[in-house]
Amino acid sequence: MSKTLFTNLNLFDGVHNKISRNLWMLVNNNTGKIEDFGSDNEPFADKTVNLHGKYIMPGIVNVHTHVSIDPRTPDGDGNADIVTSTVRAVKHLHQLLKSGVTYVRGCGCNHEMLDITLNKLQREGRLTKVPRMVPCGKPMTMTGGHGILFGGGDEVDSPDEMRKAVRTNFANGAKCTKVMATGGVMSVNDNMTQPQLKVPEMKVAVEETHSKGFVVAAHAEANPGIMNAIKAGVDSIEHCFYLTSQEIQMMLNKKIYLTPTLIALWTIIVHGDELPKWELNKALDCMHHGFDSIHRAYKAGIPLTFGTDSGCPYDGFTNSAIEFQLMVDKIGMTNFDALETSRNSAKLLKLKDYGTLQKGKYADFLVLNHDPLQNVKAVQQADKAVYQHGKREY
């Protein structure tokens, strides 16, 4: 049984709001899991890696990505052929891992089987140096609804059609469900206040998905779509830019997670002169209301997850860690609470062996020059080392 001993490290374990200093960590190379920590009496190992006083933290779990679409365009280039889409999806997955994201949930690709196939290849060892994946396959939307822009949505217009579509999606290899409860910023023919899938349709998606032991994410930016998603019993609501006090309480009562995707708004604003005016105006309105809504949700105790919506306009795959900075600067979160959103992402996805660095968990971790609890910008370090299951990938 081969083991690696990592020495001279400072640990942020993702659980406690502190740095444990001058430790060693022992990893079982056969399982990829952490066997022990300590500060003296270093155990025997086949290999020793001296981290020279650097800081380690858990790999990031990102629950909102679109790896096949092009962030350099206003519309994601959703009509690209499958070869083009696959090539850039693989590139984006490499970029995500190098940025520190070791696990992702897909929230829609422009070809229905793309993320499912990439996940299969990664599990079989034929696609390497990429995050592990939770693919959603086809997002569920109404006829002409949000997501059709990307060429990857499954149009359903009744509870029965939803049941058939979700079951088919899982038969094809999906591991979660995405439903579109509202229009969105990138949809030219709708807006956030227009409800799309209705409560009975989304309830069926929840029922079928939960029967498989998986989770449902709802794209819901405004009302009445947010309320519809809450009533349907989804597990997480993505964006949530126009939350009411009543909805905050209902989300608390139902233990629904919120994925803010702040960077998706921020990048649109920064690159506003490169986008159609209608898209910029939507984003500006969302930003004004969204930061306040998410701040109130945070203060109320709704668990926030880490998700970047990467693939949206100018929201690339190399800068995921900026989301932590925006949580602190725009929402008023503490450094620890911002970093804990990645742990919440692992909880949402039921990844019990990921999200923290503890005995018995997988050794997915980042090596940083500076303390992330002192400054979350430390996670943005371009040349950080990235480990998965105890093996350095970048």
Side-chain angles (χ1 to χ4, degrees):
M1 185 179 293
S2 173
K3 298 182 182 182
T4 298
L5 183 68
F6 296 87
T7 64
N8 196 17
L9 62 89
N10 296 311
L11 171 69
F12 169 56
D13 63 8
V15 180
H16 303 100
N17 187 8
K18 68 176 185 179
I19 298 293
S20 299
R21 298 185 181 275
N22 302 314
L23 298 184
W24 52 259
M25 176 176 70
L26 186 66
V27 175
N28 185 316
N29 297 328
N30 298 93
T31 65
K33 290 188 174 183
I34 299 167
E35 285 202 350
D36 208 355
F37 293 95
S39 57
D40 51 21
N41 299 322
E42 292 180 1
F44 169 80
D46 303 272
K47 178 182 178 182
T48 299
V49 178
N50 188 338
L51 294 181
H52 301 287
K54 292 188 177 183
Y55 297 82
I56 72 169
M57 64 169 280
I60 301 168
V61 181
N62 186 337
V63 295
H64 198 122
T65 60
H66 302 278
V67 296
S68 70
I69 63 176
D70 188 348
R72 300 168 300 175
T73 64
D75 64 358
D77 190 28
N79 293 319
D81 62 82
I82 192 166
V83 175
T84 300
S85 300
T86 302
V87 169
R88 71 184 176 209
V90 172
K91 174 186 174 183
H92 293 158
L93 286 168
H94 289 316
Q95 290 175 337
L96 281 167
L97 183 59
K98 189 174 182 181
S99 78
V101 175
T102 54
Y103 224 119
V104 296
R105 176 175 65 178
C107 278
C109 287
N110 61 325
H111 291 278
E112 62 184 87
M113 290 292 292
L114 186 48
D115 65 341
I116 292 172
T117 302
L118 292 172
N119 176 59
K120 182 175 183 289
L121 292 172
Q122 188 277 324
R123 301 283 173 172
E124 293 173 350
R126 293 192 284 162
L127 177 61
T128 60
K129 290 186 176 292
V130 299
R132 286 171 174 79
M133 291 171 256
V134 177
C136 85
K138 280 189 174 184
M140 303 297 151
T141 190
M142 70 179 194
T143 296
H146 187 69
I148 295 304
L149 171 71
F150 308 127
D154 199 342
E155 294 173 300
V156 296
D157 294 306
S158 70
D160 285 345
E161 288 186 5
M162 177 67 83
R163 194 177 305 278
K164 176 72 170 178
V166 172
R167 288 178 175 178
T168 300
N169 207 31
F170 285 133
N172 288 335
K175 303 298 180 185
C176 65
T177 299
K178 169 86 173 288
V179 295
M180 303 297 193
T182 70
V185 172
M186 291 177 66
S187 304
V188 65
N189 293 322
D190 61 35
N191 62 58
M192 296 78 71
T193 62
Q194 294 174 353
Q196 296 203 347
L197 290 172
K198 303 303 188 290
V199 175
E201 294 162 337
M202 289 190 285
K203 275 188 172 180
V204 169
V206 171
E207 177 189 354
E208 290 296 328
T209 303
H210 286 181
S211 73
K212 290 284 190 180
F214 299 137
V215 298
V216 179
H219 165 98
E221 296 184 5
N223 281 301
I226 294 174
M227 178 63 80
N228 289 345
I230 294 170
K231 288 179 177 178
V234 301
D235 300 285
S236 69
I237 299 181
E238 316 299 295
H239 317 305
C240 251
F241 298 140
Y242 298 82
L243 268 175
T244 67
S245 297
Q246 180 188 11
E247 287 164 345
I248 287 173
Q249 190 57 53
M250 292 174 71
M251 289 179 72
L252 284 168
N253 293 344
K254 290 176 173 281
K255 297 180 171 58
I256 296 173
Y257 291 82
L258 190 162
T259 309
T261 64
L262 302 175
I263 192 171
L265 287 180
W266 179 75
T267 52
I268 287 179
I269 305 306
V270 170
H271 293 272
D273 59 348
E274 303 170 62
L275 293 168
K277 195 165 184 64
W278 62 265
E279 192 169 8
L280 175 61
N281 288 340
K282 280 186 181 183
L284 287 169
D285 193 55
C286 282
M287 184 179 69
H288 173 73
H289 293 279
F291 290 164
D292 175 69
S293 288
I294 294 161
H295 170 77
R296 290 186 290 108
Y298 163 62
K299 286 297 185 181
I302 289 177
L304 304 188
T305 57
F306 183 94
T308 57
D309 215 358
S310 296
C312 288
Y314 306 101
D315 180 5
F317 296 83
T318 62
N319 53 8
S320 302
I322 293 175
E323 182 77 6
F324 291 130
Q325 178 188 342
L326 294 172
M327 289 175 172
V328 172
D329 293 347
K330 304 299 184 183
I331 306 304
M333 299 178 72
T334 67
N335 291 345
F336 173 73
D337 287 346
L339 294 169
E340 192 182 31
T341 60
S342 177
R343 180 190 181 195
N344 288 340
S345 293
K347 289 180 179 178
L348 166 64
L349 298 181
K350 304 178 184 179
L351 303 174
K352 64 183 181 65
D353 291 332
Y354 295 88
T356 64
L357 294 176
Q358 298 171 288
K359 290 172 62 173
K361 300 290 186 77
Y362 284 111
D364 282 14
F365 63 95
L366 316 179
V367 182
L368 308 174
N369 291 337
H370 302 289
D371 180 354
L373 286 177
Q374 288 296 313
N375 188 343
V376 291
K377 290 182 181 179
V379 192
Q380 297 176 32
Q381 179 183 327
D383 63 348
K384 59 182 167 285
V386 180
Y387 285 78
Q388 286 181 302
H389 290 203
K391 177 186 174 185
R392 184 170 180 175
E393 299 292 353
Y394 286 101

